[in-house]
PDB file of all heavy atoms in Angstrom:
ATOM      1  N   ALA A 467      28.135 292.453 285.825  1.00 83.00           N
ATOM      2  CA  ALA A 467      27.451 292.070 287.064  1.00 83.00           C
ATOM      3  C   ALA A 467      28.416 291.379 288.013  1.00 83.00           C
ATOM      4  O   ALA A 467      28.387 291.630 289.232  1.00 83.00           O
ATOM      5  CB  ALA A 467      26.269 291.157 286.741  1.00 83.00           C
ATOM      6  N   ASN A 468      29.274 290.529 287.477  1.00 83.00           N
ATOM      7  CA  ASN A 468      30.262 289.857 288.321  1.00 83.00           C
ATOM      8  C   ASN A 468      31.281 290.841 288.880  1.00 83.00           C
ATOM      9  O   ASN A 468      31.710 290.729 290.036  1.00 83.00           O
ATOM     10  CB  ASN A 468      30.967 288.756 287.532  1.00 83.00           C
ATOM     11  CG  ASN A 468      30.109 287.514 287.372  1.00 83.00           C
ATOM     12  OD1 ASN A 468      29.127 287.338 288.079  1.00 83.00           O
ATOM     13  ND2 ASN A 468      30.465 286.655 286.435  1.00 83.00           N
ATOM     14  N   ALA A 469      31.690 291.826 288.055  1.00 80.00           N
ATOM     15  CA  ALA A 469      32.632 292.839 288.533  1.00 80.00           C
ATOM     16  C   ALA A 469      32.004 293.677 289.640  1.00 80.00           C
ATOM     17  O   ALA A 469      32.657 294.020 290.632  1.00 80.00           O
ATOM     18  CB  ALA A 469      33.058 293.733 287.363  1.00 80.00           C
ATOM     19  N   TYR A 470      30.719 293.979 289.481  1.00 73.00           N
ATOM     20  CA  TYR A 470      30.006 294.733 290.525  1.00 73.00           C
ATOM     21  C   TYR A 470      29.956 293.924 291.812  1.00 73.00           C
ATOM     22  O   TYR A 470      30.110 294.467 292.916  1.00 73.00           O
ATOM     23  CB  TYR A 470      28.594 295.058 290.035  1.00 73.00           C
ATOM     24  CG  TYR A 470      27.764 295.834 291.027  1.00 73.00           C
ATOM     25  CD1 TYR A 470      27.856 297.221 291.091  1.00 73.00           C
ATOM     26  CD2 TYR A 470      26.894 295.179 291.891  1.00 73.00           C
ATOM     27  CE1 TYR A 470      27.093 297.941 292.000  1.00 73.00           C
ATOM     28  CE2 TYR A 470      26.132 295.886 292.809  1.00 73.00           C
ATOM     29  CZ  TYR A 470      26.236 297.272 292.852  1.00 73.00           C
ATOM     30  OH  TYR A 470      25.486 297.979 293.763  1.00 73.00           O
ATOM     31  N   ALA A 471      29.716 292.611 291.662  1.00 76.00           N
ATOM     32  CA  ALA A 471      29.665 291.747 292.845  1.00 76.00           C
ATOM     33  C   ALA A 471      30.995 291.746 293.575  1.00 76.00           C
ATOM     34  O   ALA A 471      31.046 291.791 294.810  1.00 76.00           O
ATOM     35  CB  ALA A 471      29.274 290.324 292.428  1.00 76.00           C
ATOM     36  N   VAL A 472      32.106 291.698 292.827  1.00 75.00           N
ATOM     37  CA  VAL A 472      33.437 291.709 293.448  1.00 75.00           C
ATOM     38  C   VAL A 472      33.666 293.015 294.196  1.00 75.00           C
ATOM     39  O   VAL A 472      34.193 293.036 295.311  1.00 75.00           O
ATOM     40  CB  VAL A 472      34.523 291.492 292.378  1.00 75.00           C
ATOM     41  CG1 VAL A 472      35.906 291.709 292.966  1.00 75.00           C
ATOM     42  CG2 VAL A 472      34.404 290.082 291.802  1.00 75.00           C
ATOM     43  N   ASN A 473      33.252 294.120 293.589  1.00 71.00           N
ATOM     44  CA  ASN A 473      33.448 295.435 294.221  1.00 71.00           C
ATOM     45  C   ASN A 473      32.611 295.601 295.482  1.00 71.00           C
ATOM     46  O   ASN A 473      32.896 296.461 296.308  1.00 71.00           O
ATOM     47  CB  ASN A 473      33.122 296.555 293.237  1.00 71.00           C
ATOM     48  CG  ASN A 473      34.132 296.615 292.090  1.00 71.00           C
ATOM     49  OD1 ASN A 473      35.282 296.205 292.255  1.00 71.00           O
ATOM     50  ND2 ASN A 473      33.690 297.099 290.941  1.00 71.00           N
ATOM     51  N   HIS A 474      31.559 294.790 295.596  1.00 65.00           N
ATOM     52  CA  HIS A 474      30.678 294.904 296.767  1.00 65.00           C
ATOM     53  C   HIS A 474      30.827 293.704 297.688  1.00 65.00           C
ATOM     54  O   HIS A 474      29.896 293.341 298.429  1.00 65.00           O
ATOM     55  CB  HIS A 474      29.212 295.052 296.319  1.00 65.00           C
ATOM     56  CG  HIS A 474      28.916 296.391 295.713  1.00 65.00           C
ATOM     57  ND1 HIS A 474      29.349 296.733 294.450  1.00 65.00           N
ATOM     58  CD2 HIS A 474      28.257 297.481 296.205  1.00 65.00           C
ATOM     59  CE1 HIS A 474      28.947 297.973 294.178  1.00 65.00           C
ATOM     60  NE2 HIS A 474      28.289 298.451 295.231  1.00 65.00           N
ATOM     61  N   ASP A 475      32.005 293.083 297.609  1.00 62.00           N
ATOM     62  CA  ASP A 475      32.372 292.006 298.537  1.00 62.00           C
ATOM     63  C   ASP A 475      31.421 290.815 298.491  1.00 62.00           C
ATOM     64  O   ASP A 475      31.115 290.188 299.514  1.00 62.00           O
ATOM     65  CB  ASP A 475      32.445 292.546 299.981  1.00 62.00           C
ATOM     66  CG  ASP A 475      33.496 293.650 300.118  1.00 62.00           C
ATOM     67  OD1 ASP A 475      34.536 293.539 299.433  1.00 62.00           O
ATOM     68  OD2 ASP A 475      33.241 294.598 300.875  1.00 62.00           O
ATOM     69  N   THR A 476      30.890 290.518 297.300  1.00 69.00           N
ATOM     70  CA  THR A 476      30.101 289.298 297.114  1.00 69.00           C
ATOM     71  C   THR A 476      30.743 288.471 296.016  1.00 69.00           C
ATOM     72  O   THR A 476      31.499 288.987 295.193  1.00 69.00           O
ATOM     73  CB  THR A 476      28.643 289.616 296.739  1.00 69.00           C
ATOM     74  OG1 THR A 476      28.633 290.427 295.558  1.00 69.00           O
ATOM     75  CG2 THR A 476      27.934 290.349 297.867  1.00 69.00           C
ATOM     76  N   ALA A 477      30.436 287.191 295.996  1.00 71.00           N
ATOM     77  CA  ALA A 477      31.092 286.279 295.057  1.00 71.00           C
ATOM     78  C   ALA A 477      30.447 286.377 293.680  1.00 71.00           C
ATOM     79  O   ALA A 477      29.217 286.354 293.564  1.00 71.00           O
ATOM     80  CB  ALA A 477      30.996 284.850 295.574  1.00 71.00           C
ATOM     81  N   PRO A 478      31.259 286.490 292.624  1.00 73.00           N
ATOM     82  CA  PRO A 478      30.708 286.469 291.260  1.00 73.00           C
ATOM     83  C   PRO A 478      30.190 285.070 290.933  1.00 73.00           C
ATOM     84  O   PRO A 478      30.668 284.074 291.475  1.00 73.00           O
ATOM     85  CB  PRO A 478      31.903 286.848 290.386  1.00 73.00           C
ATOM     86  CG  PRO A 478      33.094 286.420 291.176  1.00 73.00           C
ATOM     87  CD  PRO A 478      32.733 286.627 292.622  1.00 73.00           C
ATOM     88  N   ASN A 479      29.217 285.012 290.032  1.00 81.00           N
ATOM     89  CA  ASN A 479      28.626 283.725 289.660  1.00 81.00           C
ATOM     90  C   ASN A 479      29.212 283.268 288.327  1.00 81.00           C
ATOM     91  O   ASN A 479      28.738 283.651 287.258  1.00 81.00           O
ATOM     92  CB  ASN A 479      27.101 283.843 289.566  1.00 81.00           C
ATOM     93  CG  ASN A 479      26.426 282.497 289.589  1.00 81.00           C
ATOM     94  OD1 ASN A 479      27.016 281.485 289.225  1.00 81.00           O
ATOM     95  ND2 ASN A 479      25.174 282.471 290.021  1.00 81.00           N
ATOM     96  N   GLU A 480      30.243 282.435 288.395  1.00 85.00           N
ATOM     97  CA  GLU A 480      30.881 281.944 287.183  1.00 85.00           C
ATOM     98  C   GLU A 480      30.006 280.938 286.442  1.00 85.00           C
ATOM     99  O   GLU A 480      30.207 280.681 285.258  1.00 85.00           O
ATOM    100  CB  GLU A 480      32.235 281.298 287.529  1.00 85.00           C
ATOM    101  CG  GLU A 480      33.235 282.256 288.147  1.00 85.00           C
ATOM    102  CD  GLU A 480      33.575 283.427 287.221  1.00 85.00           C
ATOM    103  OE1 GLU A 480      33.517 283.235 285.989  1.00 85.00           O
ATOM    104  OE2 GLU A 480      33.868 284.519 287.730  1.00 85.00           O
ATOM    105  N   ALA A 481      29.024 280.340 287.138  1.00 88.00           N
ATOM    106  CA  ALA A 481      28.150 279.360 286.487  1.00 88.00           C
ATOM    107  C   ALA A 481      27.338 280.004 285.372  1.00 88.00           C
ATOM    108  O   ALA A 481      26.960 279.349 284.397  1.00 88.00           O
ATOM    109  CB  ALA A 481      27.219 278.723 287.515  1.00 88.00           C
ATOM    110  N   LEU A 482      27.075 281.311 285.491  1.00 90.00           N
ATOM    111  CA  LEU A 482      26.328 282.006 284.442  1.00 90.00           C
ATOM    112  C   LEU A 482      27.096 281.995 283.126  1.00 90.00           C
ATOM    113  O   LEU A 482      26.531 281.721 282.064  1.00 90.00           O
ATOM    114  CB  LEU A 482      26.037 283.446 284.880  1.00 90.00           C
ATOM    115  CG  LEU A 482      25.008 283.631 285.994  1.00 90.00           C
ATOM    116  CD1 LEU A 482      24.960 285.087 286.430  1.00 90.00           C
ATOM    117  CD2 LEU A 482      23.632 283.172 285.522  1.00 90.00           C
ATOM    118  N   LEU A 483      28.385 282.311 283.195  1.00 90.00           N
ATOM    119  CA  LEU A 483      29.207 282.297 281.982  1.00 90.00           C
ATOM    120  C   LEU A 483      29.316 280.888 281.413  1.00 90.00           C
ATOM    121  O   LEU A 483      29.310 280.701 280.189  1.00 90.00           O
ATOM    122  CB  LEU A 483      30.598 282.856 282.285  1.00 90.00           C
ATOM    123  CG  LEU A 483      30.663 284.351 282.606  1.00 90.00           C
ATOM    124  CD1 LEU A 483      32.070 284.742 283.039  1.00 90.00           C
ATOM    125  CD2 LEU A 483      30.237 285.179 281.398  1.00 90.00           C
ATOM    126  N   LYS A 484      29.403 279.903 282.276  1.00 92.00           N
ATOM    127  CA  LYS A 484      29.516 278.519 281.817  1.00 92.00           C
ATOM    128  C   LYS A 484      28.234 278.086 281.110  1.00 92.00           C
ATOM    129  O   LYS A 484      28.268 277.400 280.080  1.00 92.00           O
ATOM    130  CB  LYS A 484      29.823 277.600 283.000  1.00 92.00           C
ATOM    131  CG  LYS A 484      30.321 276.228 282.592  1.00 92.00           C
ATOM    132  CD  LYS A 484      30.870 275.463 283.783  1.00 92.00           C
ATOM    133  CE  LYS A 484      31.455 274.129 283.313  1.00 92.00           C
ATOM    134  NZ  LYS A 484      32.028 273.357 284.448  1.00 92.00           N
ATOM    135  N   LEU A 485      27.104 278.477 281.666  1.00 93.00           N
ATOM    136  CA  LEU A 485      25.825 278.148 281.042  1.00 93.00           C
ATOM    137  C   LEU A 485      25.689 278.824 279.688  1.00 93.00           C
ATOM    138  O   LEU A 485      25.246 278.214 278.706  1.00 93.00           O
ATOM    139  CB  LEU A 485      24.679 278.574 281.963  1.00 93.00           C
ATOM    140  CG  LEU A 485      23.252 278.363 281.433  1.00 93.00           C
ATOM    141  CD1 LEU A 485      22.992 276.885 281.148  1.00 93.00           C
ATOM    142  CD2 LEU A 485      22.220 278.900 282.422  1.00 93.00           C
ATOM    143  N   LEU A 486      26.093 280.080 279.632  1.00 92.00           N
ATOM    144  CA  LEU A 486      26.020 280.812 278.373  1.00 92.00           C
ATOM    145  C   LEU A 486      26.918 280.172 277.317  1.00 92.00           C
ATOM    146  O   LEU A 486      26.539 280.043 276.149  1.00 92.00           O
ATOM    147  CB  LEU A 486      26.422 282.274 278.610  1.00 92.00           C
ATOM    148  CG  LEU A 486      25.841 283.305 277.643  1.00 92.00           C
ATOM    149  CD1 LEU A 486      24.338 283.338 277.732  1.00 92.00           C
ATOM    150  CD2 LEU A 486      26.418 284.679 277.943  1.00 92.00           C
ATOM    151  N   GLN A 487      28.099 279.761 277.735  1.00 93.00           N
ATOM    152  CA  GLN A 487      29.030 279.140 276.801  1.00 93.00           C
ATOM    153  C   GLN A 487      28.495 277.803 276.297  1.00 93.00           C
ATOM    154  O   GLN A 487      28.652 277.464 275.119  1.00 93.00           O
ATOM    155  CB  GLN A 487      30.396 278.930 277.479  1.00 93.00           C
ATOM    156  CG  GLN A 487      31.479 278.415 276.547  1.00 93.00           C
ATOM    157  CD  GLN A 487      31.775 279.383 275.414  1.00 93.00           C
ATOM    158  OE1 GLN A 487      31.603 280.593 275.558  1.00 93.00           O
ATOM    159  NE2 GLN A 487      32.200 278.850 274.288  1.00 93.00           N
ATOM    160  N   PHE A 488      27.839 277.042 277.162  1.00 94.00           N
ATOM    161  CA  PHE A 488      27.257 275.758 276.769  1.00 94.00           C
ATOM    162  C   PHE A 488      26.246 275.955 275.630  1.00 94.00           C
ATOM    163  O   PHE A 488      26.263 275.233 274.633  1.00 94.00           O
ATOM    164  CB  PHE A 488      26.586 275.103 277.976  1.00 94.00           C
ATOM    165  CG  PHE A 488      25.809 273.863 277.648  1.00 94.00           C
ATOM    166  CD1 PHE A 488      26.433 272.633 277.611  1.00 94.00           C
ATOM    167  CD2 PHE A 488      24.444 273.931 277.377  1.00 94.00           C
ATOM    168  CE1 PHE A 488      25.716 271.480 277.300  1.00 94.00           C
ATOM    169  CE2 PHE A 488      23.717 272.793 277.063  1.00 94.00           C
ATOM    170  CZ  PHE A 488      24.363 271.559 277.027  1.00 94.00           C
ATOM    171  N   VAL A 489      25.358 276.919 275.798  1.00 94.00           N
ATOM    172  CA  VAL A 489      24.323 277.150 274.781  1.00 94.00           C
ATOM    173  C   VAL A 489      24.947 277.718 273.512  1.00 94.00           C
ATOM    174  O   VAL A 489      24.587 277.323 272.395  1.00 94.00           O
ATOM    175  CB  VAL A 489      23.239 278.100 275.335  1.00 94.00           C
ATOM    176  CG1 VAL A 489      22.170 278.353 274.286  1.00 94.00           C
ATOM    177  CG2 VAL A 489      22.620 277.534 276.600  1.00 94.00           C
ATOM    178  N   ARG A 490      25.922 278.606 273.672  1.00 93.00           N
ATOM    179  CA  ARG A 490      26.523 279.246 272.500  1.00 93.00           C
ATOM    180  C   ARG A 490      27.242 278.223 271.618  1.00 93.00           C
ATOM    181  O   ARG A 490      27.181 278.316 270.383  1.00 93.00           O
ATOM    182  CB  ARG A 490      27.497 280.330 272.947  1.00 93.00           C
ATOM    183  CG  ARG A 490      28.088 281.113 271.774  1.00 93.00           C
ATOM    184  CD  ARG A 490      29.018 282.205 272.224  1.00 93.00           C
ATOM    185  NE  ARG A 490      29.435 283.037 271.109  1.00 93.00           N
ATOM    186  CZ  ARG A 490      30.226 284.089 271.225  1.00 93.00           C
ATOM    187  NH1 ARG A 490      30.677 284.457 272.422  1.00 93.00           N
ATOM    188  NH2 ARG A 490      30.551 284.804 270.163  1.00 93.00           N
TER     189      ARG A 490
END
Side-chain angles (χ1 to χ4, degrees):
N468 283 344
Y470 180 85
V472 171
N473 292 333
H474 288 74
D475 299 325
T476 57
N479 197 335
E480 298 300 330
L482 289 173
L483 291 174
K484 196 169 184 179
L485 177 60
L486 206 62
Q487 186 62 28
F488 173 87
V489 180
R490 184 178 187 178

